[in-house]
Amino acid sequence: MKKKLEEIQMKPLGEAAITVQFGTEINSFINKKVKALATKLQHESFSGFIECTPAFASVTIFFDPFIVKQAYGKIGKSSFQIVQAILERMLETLVEEEESTPRIVDIPVCYGGDFGPDLDFVAGHNHLSTDEVIHLHASAEYPVYMIGFAPGFPYLGGLSEKINAPRRPSPRTSIPAGSVGIAGSQTGVYPISTPGGWQLIGRTPMALFRPDRDLPSLLSAGDIVKFVPITVEEFEQYQERVQ
């Protein structure tokens, strides 16, 4: 692989997990490597492997230390050292995932008003009109880098620098599910009602977290999100259809 092994850090996370850190930046090049390792682990797992959790620039691998020691029986080696050696061999032969057509998910959003109480702030902060903020936010394509923070919460790349905005000085104690927010150079959607400090610019009637499904998160790392502006009436009609 292009990135030398010595540039990749591996560190224990407790006694039953190891984190493989590819870098510290948020970019598509590093995230491709994250997805490639996660895919390889899912298809070529080792004895004792439980699951892996990909993030922006790292993958955390969870394993059963007892099964690892029993399966590989390295005398004088800890389960961490054994898993580390397995991962090093994987990384030596790691091939980045072939470019494939990503899944594009359109997410309808009603911007402003009660659904987006911070839209005016984002516009004023960037010396733009609210219509310009909506246009810039809805005209981009956003790669899903990871799912985290809350069940189904997507961390998206691709936000225009023209509509960056700081977090709120005081987080809200409760944000409605479906709220679309901006924080710094990122945008995302709150899939469940939760506290949060992002600037809220709109809301979607689409459910991003569906606990009754086999795959509860609507989005996955590697998807592309496109936001589609809708009216209040269309928002209400959407809700009526899914009830």
Side-chain angles (χ1 to χ4, degrees):
M1 61 186 301
K2 294 178 182 178
K3 196 172 181 66
K4 296 179 181 178
L5 285 178
E6 55 265 29
E7 296 176 357
I8 300 171
Q9 296 184 353
M10 294 192 204
K11 49 192 176 184
L13 188 65
E15 297 181 352
I18 180 171
T19 296
V20 180
Q21 188 77 40
F22 287 94
T24 56
E25 298 178 8
I26 300 175
N27 61 50
S28 58
F29 176 75
I30 290 177
N31 196 248
K32 257 186 197 177
K33 297 184 182 301
V34 167
K35 289 188 289 183
L37 177 58
T39 298
K40 191 174 183 71
L41 283 163
Q42 288 162 2
H43 291 92
E44 303 175 26
S45 61
F46 54 88
S47 295
F49 172 80
I50 298 174
E51 65 176 344
C52 65
T53 303
F56 283 122
S58 67
V59 182
T60 296
I61 298 95
F62 297 89
F63 57 88
D64 186 316
F66 177 77
I67 295 177
V68 168
K69 287 285 286 185
Q70 190 177 50
Y72 301 100
K74 299 290 185 180
I75 298 175
K77 295 283 188 179
S78 68
S79 56
F80 169 80
Q81 290 171 319
I82 295 170
V83 173
Q84 183 179 32
I86 292 171
L87 292 171
E88 285 175 350
R89 288 196 295 272
M90 282 189 172
L91 290 169
E92 286 173 353
T93 59
L94 187 67
V95 177
E96 292 178 18
E97 291 179 294
E98 293 183 7
E99 291 293 333
S100 58
T101 303
R103 185 176 68 129
I104 297 177
V105 181
D106 289 340
I107 296 182
V109 179
C110 186
Y111 289 93
D114 292 337
F115 293 148
D118 301 320
L119 178 61
D120 287 339
F121 170 80
V122 174
H125 178 77
N126 291 286
H127 309 290
L128 298 170
S129 68
T130 54
D131 285 344
E132 288 173 318
V133 172
I134 294 170
H135 172 74
L136 287 166
H137 190 263
S139 61
E141 294 187 348
Y142 300 94
V144 179
Y145 280 138
M146 62 176 285
I147 303 295
F149 165 64
F153 186 97
Y155 283 88
L156 308 175
L159 181 70
S160 170
E161 293 181 359
K162 296 179 181 178
I163 53 174
N164 287 7
R167 293 172 181 266
R168 289 173 54 84
S170 298
R172 291 181 171 91
T173 56
S174 180
I175 290 175
S179 294
V180 178
I182 289 176
S185 60
Q186 292 181 281
T187 188
V189 185
Y190 286 86
I192 61 175
S193 179
T194 178
W198 290 34
Q199 304 287 352
L200 306 183
I201 62 171
R203 193 184 307 169
T204 178
M206 182 179 284
L208 270 69
F209 180 62
R210 306 155 302 172
D212 57 326
R213 306 281 186 93
D214 290 337
L215 295 175
S217 177
L218 172 68
L219 301 172
S220 301
D223 290 343
I224 299 292
V225 167
K226 297 177 73 173
F227 293 112
V228 180
I230 60 173
T231 64
V232 174
E233 290 74 19
E234 289 171 322
F235 185 101
E236 293 171 347
Q237 289 169 5
Y238 186 100
Q239 285 188 316
E240 290 174 359
R241 288 198 302 271
V242 298
Q243 286 178 351

